[in-house]
Structures are given as C-alpha cells and as structure tokens.
Amino acid sequence: MGNEPTYTVDQFVNRTREADRPGDVFELENSKMLEVKVRGRVWSKLGAMVAFKGNLSFRREGMLEGGIMKALVRAVSKEMEPLAKIEGQGVCYLADQGKEITVIRLAGDAFNVNGSSLLAFEDSVQHEITMMRRVAGMMAGGLFSVRVRGSGHVAIVSHGKPLTLRVTPNEPVFTDPNATIGWSDRLQPQLRVDSSLRSIFGRGGGETYQMVFQGDGFVVVQPYEELERSGGSHSSGGSIGEIFD
C-alpha cells in the first residue's frame, strides 16, 4: 500500500473527471466505464447504469417486445441478459462488474456476441438470438448467441483485455465456450465433446465442450471462464410462463 499515490481533493477531481470527447454517442471514460450520449433511445444490459444526468427514463424491455418468437427463444435459451431501454435526452454512464469495455462501430455489417458480454447498443442496431448450427441436443446453455447488425455503436464487456484470433480455412480455432465472447458473422461455430481434454480446458470436471471455428474470420476470447448458468433463482432467463407476465 505504501506505493499508492495520494491526492489533494482538487488533484483527485482533475484526475478522475469525465473526459469530454464530443461527437461519438459511445465514449470510453476509462477501460471500465462507458459514457452514452442519449438523444432518443439506447439499449443496455439491465442494471448497468451507474450514474446519469439530464432527462432520461429507464424501462425494462418487455418480454413480448420484438415478437412472440423472440420471446420464446429468449425464454428457452436463457442466453440473452435482460435489456433496459434508456430514453430521453441526457448522458448516462454504464459499467458491468468492473469488466473491460470495448466499443465496436458497425457499418452495415454484423457480429456475433455471447449474450452476457453484450453491454449496450444504439437503437439503430438490430439484435436477434440465434442458434448455432449442427449442435442441437448437445448443450442447452451453449447453443445460442446474439447477432447484432446494422449501423451504430455496440459495447461489449470482457474479464480482462480480449484477444482476437484469426480463423482461416487451413487453420481452425478451438476455444472454451465459457471464455468465448464473440466471433465474426461469417463463421458458424460447432460444439464438440472431447473428454481427453477435460484436464486442460475448463475446470476438469467431466466431458469438455469445445467451440470449433472453421472458415474465414475471427473469434474473440477473454482470459477468464464465465460460470455456467444454472436453473436457480439467479438465472436471468425466464420460463415460458414468464412471457405473459
């Protein structure tokens, strides 16, 4: 503790004050805090707001918003974290458990992201929950991802700094599903079981699921394994009955 610097009040305020970078809707105040200039509507992970100023309202996304099929997929997959609509005129500050934040600017393209790694996106960006192909019946919690597409900012979070790995037709990439946070839209990952690697990948507790990325694109991983979700009271997913609440 002896090496920690000390500050006067004025020094502390000047060191930690918000950075003013006019222009962008999404701006990183630091690696773990996102400033969002709201002029209409922005979407964020529920509970991510830590402060705001201006005339803003916060409302949880309705279960039926986006159609009954999206609601059914959300209820079954439990992959998409609840969203909040931030509406009005003002500025809000978002964070998620001290995770690193990366801002991606979509320009008519698309990106696949793990649902728990999606922090916020502009209203001009569309999102949908998708099922990975050729893995049905293997692993209920790991079959789904969120595809964001269109034009606008998307903010994702990761434990530690993310690493992007290139995937080529001659060199596929194998990842731990619990450490995988996103991949390019052209890739269709597969899940496979390899019990021989259970002491290398994961926590060594039985059969190991791997994500296999083949083709031309990239995959993003974090230096951390997300805990697998259970059906307990802390699960963000809902039952079919909750759709009609």
Side-chain angles (χ1 to χ4, degrees):
M1 298 295 291
N3 293 327
E4 293 293 325
T6 60
Y7 307 101
T8 66
V9 172
D10 287 342
Q11 287 172 333
F12 174 78
V13 170
N14 288 330
R15 184 179 179 86
T16 60
R17 74 168 64 245
E18 61 178 316
D20 186 16
R21 305 180 188 90
D24 282 341
V25 176
F26 283 15
E27 295 178 5
L28 287 178
E29 286 295 325
N30 56 56
S31 65
K32 300 176 181 180
M33 183 79 69
L34 177 70
E35 178 191 278
V36 181
K37 295 181 176 68
V38 183
R39 300 293 183 267
R41 178 190 294 167
V42 169
W43 297 84
S44 80
K45 178 182 291 190
L46 191 67
M49 191 276 294
V50 297
F52 76 94
K53 52 189 178 183
N55 184 21
L56 296 178
S57 64
F58 302 83
R59 188 157 53 111
R60 184 185 180 119
E61 179 188 24
M63 198 61 179
L64 286 175
E65 198 155 354
I68 185 67
M69 289 308 298
K70 180 180 286 188
L72 285 169
V73 172
R74 182 192 300 273
V76 172
S77 72
K78 304 186 190 311
E79 184 69 15
M80 185 72 185
E81 294 284 346
L83 294 173
K85 289 185 286 188
I86 307 173
E87 297 177 305
Q89 303 287 320
V91 179
C92 67
Y93 301 88
L94 307 177
D96 184 16
Q97 303 180 54
K99 297 178 184 179
E100 299 280 336
I101 301 173
T102 303
V103 177
I104 300 171
R105 188 195 306 271
L106 296 180
D109 44 3
F111 179 71
N112 296 286
V113 60
N114 182 310
S116 63
S117 300
L118 184 59
L119 177 65
F121 54 92
E122 290 189 72
D123 196 45
S124 57
V125 174
Q126 298 176 299
H127 74 282
E128 59 182 329
I129 303 174
T130 60
M131 178 183 285
M132 302 179 199
R133 295 177 182 174
R134 291 173 293 208
V135 291
M138 290 183 63
M139 180 179 178
L143 298 177
F144 299 88
S145 63
V146 183
R147 182 173 182 259
V148 289
R149 60 187 175 89
S151 298
H153 291 88
V154 176
I156 63 174
V157 292
S158 59
H159 289 276
K161 294 188 179 300
L163 172 68
T164 299
L165 302 172
R166 187 81 171 89
V167 180
T168 66
N170 296 325
E171 190 171 19
V173 173
F174 304 81
T175 67
D176 184 331
N178 297 314
T180 306
I181 63 175
W183 56 92
S184 54
D185 189 51
R186 287 179 292 179
L187 299 180
Q188 291 290 343
Q190 302 177 46
L191 273 177
R192 77 176 189 184
V193 177
D194 189 341
S195 58
S196 67
L197 293 179
R198 63 175 177 261
S199 61
I200 300 175
F201 281 167
R203 294 172 176 80
E207 293 179 326
T208 298
Y209 292 95
Q210 302 168 30
M211 294 181 74
V212 184
F213 294 88
Q214 296 175 301
D216 185 10
F218 62 86
V219 58
V220 186
V221 294
Q222 63 182 359
Y224 183 90
E225 293 176 271
E226 296 281 359
L227 293 176
E228 292 183 6
R229 300 183 188 181
S230 65
S233 60
H234 295 287
S235 173
S236 63
S239 66
I240 297 294
E242 288 176 344
I243 296 175
F244 303 101
D245 287 348

